[in-house]
Amino acid sequence: MSAMSNSNWSRRSIFRAAAGMAAAGTLAACGGNNGRASGGSGTNLTQYFHAYGEEGTEQAIKRYAKAYKDANVTTQWITAADFENKLFATLLTDKAPDLFEFHPQIQMVKSGQVADLTDIIAPVKDDFNPADIASHTVDGKTYGVRMIDDPQFFFYRPSLLEKAGVKVPETLDELIEAAAKLTTGKVKGLYLGNDLHAVINPMIWSAGADTLDDKNEIAYHTEGVAEGIKKMRKLFTSGHLLLGAPTDYWDPSALNQGLTAIQFCGMWAMPQFQQTLGDDIGIFPFPKTIDSGKQSVYNGGWSMFVNAKGKNVDAAKEYVKWLWIEQKKYQEDWATSYGFHIPPRTSIAQSATKLKSGLPAEGVKLFNEFGHFDNIGWTQAMITALEDVFANSVRKGGDPEASLDKADTAVNRELKKLFG
């Protein structure tokens, strides 16, 4: 949901473990601490959610919790910017939540932080998008339940493109040209978010590369990716990119308020775009970085995990099973009533009427055709290594090959730790 996506919250952001450790000593209680005051059995469970940007989300999560009869489920609703640090700091203490939402990350599995949920997913496994199962599976065991899939693409105002004589870009070069033609007075042609982190992976995929290959070896260090970094540098220095916007890319305000003609954002914001701009809104995937590449759509999303080190592991698993496996009505409500997300369960995705026509249906089509999912082996340290490449080469103009070599060292160090 619109909430925090990366950019320190790229809709997938993960633990800056060091910051989490540093914060561990200073943790205070937080968030609207209710969800159920009474009733239920004697078991008390606490769940952590980041504060989604869409109205009604906090009330919905607490409403579902209140309907559960076998435990008292309390929800901590935590400011998006603080969520990651707060979660990972608290997991190190005796105040740790019993369950929490996050993204699949192999170090949580390797450190024994998250419980194996294979047994509760097994009966409905075939109803999940196979890519969502794969991205949560290590050595044949599945460690989280996907709640929503969040495709990200470019949103644009057709009226502005028409006026400037610009066609929808299919290559990164065309996107750069479009940004130039669409920049007028106070309106910048393009917005990619304040730190550009959200487009790193799409740029790699659109160059025909990947973060890691199926042997868990580096797959991003290619000529096409180096070429893409040079193009991003050209864009960054062009004067046609909106930088320092009041809200980050996951919030629809930049396009809605007329600060830009094209904005990278997520499907979650579609209802807000439509409410403000009516029919003057379209979408397209991240264009081909190089001619031999392929358009791409990053699929973010959020998953429910059970804290394997918690006091009530079995009770927490039962709650996850009840809400995210059995309660299909709530699952569809969560995916389509507040922002638009694609339900990871095929049966729900097929019956979700709000996604069947118009712009949402187009979003589903782009997701199916060009979607890329998280790789559970691509850890926060690796994400940071590529953010450093962008900092050094896109922002500061350093040599892409040298920056990529430096990233390789950091990524290989991590790979060796994780996979030997």
Side-chain angles (χ1 to χ4, degrees), residues 153-158 160-162 164-182 189-192 206 235 261-264 282-291 294-297 362 366 370:
F153 10 70
F154 285 103
F155 288 78
Y156 70 98
R157 293 183 54 189
L160 297 181
L161 269 67
E162 203 176 319
V166 171
K167 73 178 185 73
V168 172
E170 290 180 20
T171 67
L172 189 48
D173 291 327
E174 287 174 2
L175 183 65
I176 294 168
E177 285 166 34
K181 288 182 182 165
L182 290 163
L190 181 65
Y191 183 47
L192 302 174
S206 289
L235 183 57
I262 303 175
Q263 173 179 349
F264 192 74
I283 55 174
F284 62 90
F286 196 94
K288 293 195 287 191
T289 303
I290 50 173
D291 292 341
K294 188 187 175 186
Q295 295 161 299
S296 69
V297 167
E362 207 177 317
L366 292 182
F370 301 116

Side-chain angles (χ1 to χ4, degrees), residues 168-310:
V168 172
E170 290 180 20
T171 67
L172 189 48
D173 291 327
E174 287 174 2
L175 183 65
I176 294 168
E177 285 166 34
K181 288 182 182 165
L182 290 163
T183 299
T184 58
K186 291 177 182 162
V187 182
K188 292 291 186 184
L190 181 65
Y191 183 47
L192 302 174
N194 285 330
D195 57 17
L196 314 187
H197 292 169
V199 297
I200 295 175
N201 281 18
M203 188 214 80
I204 290 169
W205 294 320
S206 289
D210 207 339
T211 50
L212 300 173
D213 63 19
D214 53 12
K215 295 192 187 99
N216 288 313
E217 289 170 359
I218 287 171
Y220 60 78
H221 195 154
T222 67
E223 280 178 29
V225 168
E227 185 62 29
I229 293 168
K230 288 176 187 163
K231 291 178 184 185
M232 295 300 292
R233 171 67 182 168
K234 182 181 172 187
L235 183 57
F236 184 75
T237 55
S238 67
H240 307 137
L241 198 59
L242 175 62
L243 296 166
T247 58
D248 217 326
Y249 84 96
W250 45 261
D251 183 285
S253 301
L255 187 65
N256 276 348
Q257 293 172 5
L259 304 179
T260 186
I262 303 175
Q263 173 179 349
F264 192 74
C265 194
M267 187 157 150
W268 57 82
M270 244 179 220
Q272 289 161 283
F273 281 127
Q274 291 177 313
Q275 198 179 341
T276 304
L277 302 170
D279 290 337
D280 192 21
I281 184 78
I283 55 174
F284 62 90
F286 196 94
K288 293 195 287 191
T289 303
I290 50 173
D291 292 341
S292 62
K294 188 187 175 186
Q295 295 161 299
S296 69
V297 167
Y298 171 61
N299 173 47
W302 292 89
S303 310
M304 230 31 230
F305 295 92
V306 168
N307 177 10
K309 298 175 178 177

